Amino acid sequence: MSASERPSNRVLVIFGATGDLAKRKLFPGFFRLFRDGLMPRDFRIIGSGRHSPGTDDEFRQRIRDGIPHGRGRHGWHWDEFASRLSFVVSSAEDGQELAQAVRAAEEEINARGERLVYLSVPPAAMREMVAMLGATGIAENCSLVVEKPFGRDLRSARELNSALLEVLDEDSIYRIDHFLGKEAAQNVLALRFANGMFEPLWNRDHIAYVQIDVPERLDIQGRAGFYEQTGAFRDMVVTHLLQILGIVALEPPSRVDDDAVHLERTKVFDAIRPLDLSRVVFGQYEGYRDEANVADDSEVETFAALEVYVDSWRWSGVPFYLRTGKSMAQGRRTVTIGFTNAPLRIFPNQALDRAARPSELVFELSDAPKVRIELQAKIPGPVIDLGRAALTLDVEQAFGEADSLEAYERLLLDVLLRHRLLFTRSEQIERLWEVCAPVIEHPPKPHIYAPGSWGPEAALKLPSAPGWRLPDGDLDGAA
């Protein structure tokens, strides 16, 4: 980043500053940006919430404890960063002391950039907090970051967007989805639009199916209060998985900038067919109801799999399969593009297995992204026998000197620079809730599945042959 692109001096306000997200992602993210010279030359970070964590020094110690070992939390970087941290108690009912602290800090550092306000608060508190920001003037000259979920359904999403737009312009609202900040998700755009070999194939004539698969080994990890209110469908499908679909199914934009890409993503979401309840499977892992604070008769889903269609010229008839769940056999994040088979099977053993996997392009959406082309090749030997092999791009190995940012780090920097490419807009959020309305209004009864499995049998049968790529199509067996 050039000096001219460095963010201007500003004040950052973190609501929910003593919460889990702030401890694990936000403060470590800002510290990483500071350590790498990507923060403003002068800034202040004011944490806020209903309950004080103690003195400012105790608050700083709490933040340092959340920074991973090896990230430089000992030494002058930390001392300099910590000197810019403080905490002010506030609530939706009373934000005057916080507003005064923000204005005083801005005068102290001669702030020139917009305030960055991060709302890491429960969805139920969001509208009241936004109203407080408007009433106290904190929302003036402000970039507001809002955490998912963005409502619980179409009505509540519209109400939240209306509340936000009463105090801020749309261009000052950053609805964050960390899946879009992953290097691998952005690589979908790069490989497709920067390489002439892929774009001619990126359509219904050459692609048979798309799978967006995010199984998780972990259970709910004590988050029963959240899960009982939200469930896997709202938590993962309406947000992360459909947002990734919007990247995969994008029409070529005229250029890769905020407005052009947002326009094409909105078109994709507009073209999604309302979900067919007969092609949606919910599951609940055995033992979920034994978790603390879970109702004995809970019907909340910990697993969701579904079939989605995009009714556009490019994608007509191509099924998109989405799957996510807790307590599953592996923890993976993959996007699989399944190509159509060759029109004629001319090799002897090719005709024996009609259910064999076709050629597939696989994106690993991990912090160490990989891209693989899995295809048929001749097995060495005296006869022509085919076997499955892979061509692999290890992004970290290919660009060994590059030091990539973690998803939250990248997105926080984008807010500081007012880059909106990787954030979602109000009309996109509302459209996705509209698409998902049949499932929200009439949720399927969840099937019970064994922990450590691949989910309910009904979900395994959702795609036609050759079925889900994981686990059978997993060449390396990585967990």
Side-chain angles (χ1 to χ4, degrees):
M1 183 177 71
S2 67
S4 63
E5 292 178 302
R6 189 164 184 164
S8 303
N9 293 354
R10 73 192 61 204
V11 170
L12 296 74
V13 182
I14 312 297
F15 288 96
T18 58
D20 182 63
L21 177 69
K23 180 178 181 180
R24 290 187 302 106
K25 295 294 184 182
L26 304 186
F27 286 110
F30 284 124
F31 179 62
R32 163 73 186 281
L33 296 178
F34 172 73
R35 194 192 67 188
D36 290 359
L38 300 175
M39 288 289 281
R41 296 190 183 282
D42 206 356
F43 63 91
R44 297 292 184 271
I45 301 180
I46 302 175
S48 194
R50 284 184 172 273
H51 305 290
S52 171
T55 65
D56 282 347
D57 283 341
E58 289 171 327
F59 175 57
R60 292 162 185 155
Q61 182 62 47
R62 181 189 187 105
I63 293 170
R64 189 173 77 162
D65 291 344
I67 295 175
H69 290 281
R71 284 288 189 95
R73 66 181 187 178
H74 303 289
W76 76 269
H77 275 118
W78 168 254
D79 293 340
E80 183 66 24
F81 182 76
S83 70
R84 302 160 189 251
L85 304 176
S86 61
F87 189 95
V88 177
V89 173
S90 71
S91 67
E93 297 79 31
D94 185 4
Q96 290 300 331
E97 184 180 351
L98 175 62
Q100 292 169 8
V102 169
R103 286 191 282 269
E106 288 178 336
E107 290 179 7
E108 180 184 353
I109 65 173
N110 191 26
R112 291 287 183 263
E114 289 185 326
R115 300 164 185 165
L116 189 157
V117 178
Y118 200 115
L119 281 185
S120 178
V121 300
M126 190 74 69
R127 293 176 62 193
E128 290 75 13
M129 292 297 293
V130 171
M132 182 273 285
L133 295 177
T136 57
I138 297 175
E140 297 173 5
N141 191 35
C142 165
S143 293
L144 179 67
V145 186
V146 183
E147 268 287 340
K148 74 170 187 71
F150 312 109
R152 286 183 49 81
D153 51 24
L154 179 59
R155 180 185 60 80
S156 59
R158 284 175 172 166
E159 289 175 353
L160 175 57
N161 283 329
S162 177
L164 289 167
L165 293 172
E166 284 181 9
V167 298
L168 291 154
D169 294 331
E170 177 66 35
D171 286 346
S172 294
I173 303 168
Y174 296 78
R175 298 168 185 82
I176 195 167
D177 187 325
H178 72 273
F179 268 52
L180 296 182
K182 291 181 174 295
E183 289 285 349
Q186 298 163 55
N187 239 332
V188 175
L189 294 178
L191 264 72
R192 178 181 167 192
F193 294 130
N195 298 281
M197 64 185 296
F198 289 118
E199 177 55 28
L201 305 179
W202 214 264
N203 57 62
R204 64 187 302 275
D205 294 328
H206 302 284
I207 292 178
Y209 56 83
V210 177
Q211 296 180 8
I212 302 172
D213 204 0
V214 187
E216 298 181 76
R217 270 193 173 138
L218 299 176
D219 59 20
I220 63 168
Q221 296 286 290
R223 299 171 69 213
F226 172 79
Y227 240 72
E228 282 289 279
Q229 293 296 316
T230 306
F233 186 76
R234 284 184 173 94
D235 182 36
M236 293 292 294
V237 175
V238 184
T239 53
H240 301 321
L241 273 61
L242 284 172
Q243 291 294 342
I244 293 296
L245 182 151
I247 294 292
V248 173
L250 202 70
E251 288 294 322
S254 57
R255 57 196 178 279
V256 179
D257 66 13
D258 300 357
D259 291 337
V261 173
H262 274 301
L263 175 64
E264 299 304 336
R265 283 172 61 199
T266 300
K267 289 180 182 178
V268 171
F269 296 147
D270 284 344
I272 295 178
R273 188 186 305 172
L275 300 182
D276 179 353
L277 278 173
S278 70
R279 305 297 289 167
V280 178
V281 178
F282 278 6
Q284 185 186 95
Y285 67 79
E286 188 176 1
Y288 172 76
R289 294 177 183 177
D290 298 328
E291 300 272 4
N293 301 315
V294 172
D296 293 339
D297 58 350
S298 174
E299 293 291 303
V300 169
E301 78 285 357
T302 62
F303 171 99
L306 58 153
E307 183 180 69
V308 181
Y309 283 94
V310 178
D311 288 335
S312 67
W313 192 275
R314 179 181 296 269
W315 295 109
S316 179
V318 177
F320 288 72
Y321 294 106
L322 281 54
R323 179 172 68 171
T324 187
K326 297 288 188 180
S327 277
M328 295 185 68
Q330 290 186 18
R332 298 292 288 275
R333 296 172 177 178
T334 63
V335 174
T336 300
I337 312 295
F339 292 99
T340 55
N341 280 311
L344 183 64
R345 296 170 183 253
I346 62 174
F347 295 96
N349 69 334
Q350 221 181 355
L352 298 178
D353 187 4
R354 292 285 176 178
R357 305 202 71 81
S359 299
E360 292 176 320
L361 175 63
V362 183
F363 296 87
E364 294 278 356
L365 303 181
S366 64
D367 292 333
K370 295 181 180 179
V371 183
R372 288 201 301 235
I373 301 176
E374 300 181 358
L375 38 70
Q376 297 289 319
K378 180 186 176 298
I379 301 172
V383 297
I384 300 180
D385 279 337
L386 301 182
R388 194 164 172 81
L391 305 172
T392 302
L393 166 62
D394 185 321
V395 176
E396 285 193 342
Q397 184 177 355
F399 304 100
E401 297 182 1
D403 192 10
S404 66
L405 296 176
E406 188 268 340
Y408 267 99
E409 296 165 356
R410 166 66 190 270
L411 294 172
L412 293 172
L413 179 60
D414 279 357
V415 178
L416 290 170
L417 295 171
R418 287 191 62 84
H419 295 167
R420 300 180 48 80
L421 179 68
L422 301 177
F423 296 86
T424 58
R425 298 180 61 89
S426 59
E427 67 271 17
Q428 296 169 357
I429 296 296
E430 292 178 12
R431 173 56 185 166
L432 291 180
W433 282 117
E434 185 178 21
V435 165
C436 294
V439 181
I440 298 293
E441 294 167 3
H442 304 286
K445 182 179 177 61
H447 301 261
I448 302 300
Y449 64 95
S453 71
W454 284 101
E457 185 67 23
L460 294 176
K461 297 177 179 178
L462 193 62
S464 57
W468 294 100
R469 176 181 170 274
L470 293 173
D472 294 337
D474 185 18
L475 289 181
D476 61 8

